[in-house]
């Protein structure tokens, strides 16, 4: 056998990871340890090999569930994350590091955002976004960030997002909304002047705390202002262990933040005018969902041994007044 043939044959063995040739049955690719995930249909990780950093994705079985209807409101848009793949008619991807216009996505984050199915996929009616210890695009971590820009933009309504948070210290989960005119290519044009509504932010080093925030202020960077309120886990059930429902009720001249239907924060034009700034939240916005690693907000450095780790989202629902 020629040397080139031997090399090719060896490559195929590694590519198709331990699958046996049974008669006329062709080789089939199988999930292996290299994807960093203990796949549900995988009976032996890497065909029996060791995998010290693989972690099984555990879907929560407990937690709060939102109502499916509200008096005076209709369901206007939703994603229940059923099926095998994320709906590209509803969601787009932010890919890369944010460079050149928004390097580190504006926060010195340490991940490369991808659309790889090892970073984002659907399982048991949930969206799974997984941050991994990788070496992609000059970054040591990979994850995913999705949005509804130019796919679903809306003004006013009730938003419910049912989710379970990651565990790894140094992770930063953000469920937020940006002005319809905001773009990654020219971020300063509409941020923070166009407004940002952080439905929820969570840091992996503090599993019993989340916050809701509104960002605003004209003439970046001179007048960036924000109002943020923290909310503590209920009944000794950390945000990474069970589902919580993160909500806003968004009306003209008022945003109300809720967790498990408990009100904990509000903003109105009086809030922004107290800081000498206009109120930007009476415009259309779109969703962004991101699992970041590191950055300006986390207070601890991420460690490779804590990854992979995942954000789990059961649904996103938008209700608007009839």
């Amino acid at each position: 056998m020629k040397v080139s043939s031997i090399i090719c044959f060896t490559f195929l063995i590694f590519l198709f990871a331990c699958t046996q040739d049974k008669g006329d049955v062709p080789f089939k690719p199988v999930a292996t340890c290299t994807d960093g995930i203990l796949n549900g249909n995988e009976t032996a990780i890497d065909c029996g090999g060791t995998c010290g950093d693989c972690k099984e994705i555990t879907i929560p079985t407990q937690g709060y569930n939102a109502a499916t209807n509200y008096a005076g409101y209709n369901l206007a848009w939703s994603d229940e994350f059923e099926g095998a793949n994320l709906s590209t008619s509803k969601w787009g991807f932010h890919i890369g590091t944010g460079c050149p216009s928004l390097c580190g996505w504006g926060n010195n984050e340490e991940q490369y955002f991808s659309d790889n199915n090892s970073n984002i996929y659907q399982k048991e009616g949930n969206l799974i976004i997984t941050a991994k210890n990788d070496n992609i695009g000059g970054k040591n971590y990979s994850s995913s960030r999705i949005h509804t820009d130019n796919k679903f933009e809306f003004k006013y309504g009730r938003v419910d997002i049912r989710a379970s948070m990651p565990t790894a210290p140094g992770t930063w989960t953000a469920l937020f909304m940006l002005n319809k005119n905001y773009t990654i290519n020219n971020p300063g044009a509409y941020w923070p002047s166009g407004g940002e509504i952080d439905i929820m932010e969570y840091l992996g080093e503090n599993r019993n705390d989340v916050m809701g925030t509104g960002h605003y202020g004209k003439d970046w960077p001179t007048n960036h202002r924000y109002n943020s309120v923290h909310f503590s886990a209920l009944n000794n059930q950390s945000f990474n262990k069970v589902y919580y429902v993160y909500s806003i009720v968004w009306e003209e001249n008022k945003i109300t933040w809720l967790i498990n239907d408990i009100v904990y924060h509000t903003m109105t034009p009086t809030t922004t005018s107290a800081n000498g700034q206009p109120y930007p939240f009476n415009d259309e916005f779109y969703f962004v969902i991101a699992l970041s690693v590191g950055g300006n907000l986390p207070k601890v450095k991420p460690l490779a041994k804590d990854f992979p780790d995942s954000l789990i989202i059961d649904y996103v629902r938008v209700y608007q007044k009839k």
Side-chain angles (χ1 to χ4, degrees), residues 97 99 203 245 311:
T97 62
C99 288
L203 303 178
V245 175
L311 165 66

Side-chain angles (χ1 to χ4, degrees), residues 3 37 45 84 91 109 116 125 148 174 181 202 216 220 223 231 243 245 278 287 321-322:
V3 172
I37 300 169
I45 295 297
W91 301 95
E109 298 163 26
N116 294 334
T148 63
N181 294 307
Y202 162 92
Y216 55 94
W220 165 258
N223 293 312
F231 186 96
Y243 287 115
V245 175
F287 288 121
K321 287 186 177 181
K322 296 179 181 179

Side-chain angles (χ1 to χ4, degrees), residues 208 233-238 241 244:
N208 294 307
L234 302 168
N235 304 316
N236 295 316
Q237 293 184 308
S238 299
K241 294 298 183 182
Y244 280 79

Side-chain angles (χ1 to χ4, degrees), residues 74-316:
N74 287 327
L75 182 66
W77 184 94
S78 69
D79 198 337
E80 305 292 324
F81 302 113
E82 301 291 345
N85 300 303
L86 183 71
S87 171
T88 54
S89 66
K90 294 182 177 181
W91 301 95
F93 291 91
H94 285 146
I95 302 293
T97 62
C99 288
S101 302
L102 198 65
C103 290
W105 301 97
N107 298 295
N108 295 311
E109 298 163 26
E110 299 181 32
Q111 80 292 318
Y112 181 99
F113 284 130
S114 90
D115 58 356
N116 294 334
N117 59 15
S118 62
N119 290 120
I120 185 164
Y121 60 98
Q122 294 184 176
K123 179 180 180 181
E124 298 176 17
N126 291 265
L127 176 68
I128 313 295
I129 298 180
T130 298
K132 298 174 57 182
N133 177 221
D134 270 334
N135 185 9
I136 302 177
K139 297 292 186 178
N140 293 324
Y141 297 93
S142 66
S143 187
S144 280
R145 170 171 157 155
I146 58 174
H147 62 84
T148 63
D149 185 18
N150 293 322
K151 294 177 183 286
F152 177 65
E153 298 165 336
F154 69 107
K155 181 168 70 172
Y156 308 146
R158 180 184 177 114
V159 176
D160 289 337
I161 303 177
R162 189 178 195 230
S164 175
M165 296 296 109
T167 299
T171 53
W172 177 2
T173 299
L175 314 176
F176 64 109
M177 299 168 63
L178 291 170
N179 189 289
K180 66 177 182 180
N181 294 307
Y182 174 89
T183 67
I184 300 300
N185 294 333
N186 189 13
Y190 280 90
W191 196 95
S193 59
E196 175 182 325
I197 304 169
D198 294 339
I199 300 169
M200 190 281 295
E201 289 182 285
Y202 162 92
L203 303 178
E205 65 261 28
N206 192 346
R207 300 161 193 169
N208 294 307
D209 179 85
V210 298
M211 54 192 150
T213 306
H215 292 264
Y216 55 94
K218 60 183 179 180
D219 302 327
W220 165 258
T222 307
N223 293 312
H224 173 216
R225 301 288 186 271
Y226 63 91
N227 288 80
S228 184
V229 174
H230 290 256
F231 186 96
S232 297
L234 302 168
N235 304 316
N236 295 316
Q237 293 184 308
S238 299
F239 293 104
N240 63 315
K241 294 298 183 182
V242 300
Y243 287 115
Y244 280 79
V245 175
Y246 307 96
S247 306
I248 59 168
V249 175
W250 180 22
E251 306 166 278
E252 184 176 4
N253 291 330
K254 185 177 182 180
I255 306 172
T256 303
W257 280 259
L258 312 90
I259 292 180
N260 292 2
D261 215 31
I262 300 170
V263 173
Y264 72 101
H265 183 26
T266 60
M267 285 184 64
T268 67
T270 301
T271 311
T272 63
S273 64
N275 284 318
Q277 302 301 318
Y279 184 84
F281 303 114
N282 291 328
D283 201 354
E284 290 187 351
F285 280 63
Y286 62 86
F287 288 121
V288 183
I289 295 176
L291 173 55
S292 303
V293 181
N296 296 336
L297 195 58
K299 298 300 187 292
V300 302
K301 185 76 174 175
L303 298 176
K305 68 179 181 61
D306 294 323
F307 294 83
D309 202 8
S310 299
L311 165 66
I312 301 170
I313 301 177
D314 188 12
Y315 52 72
V316 179

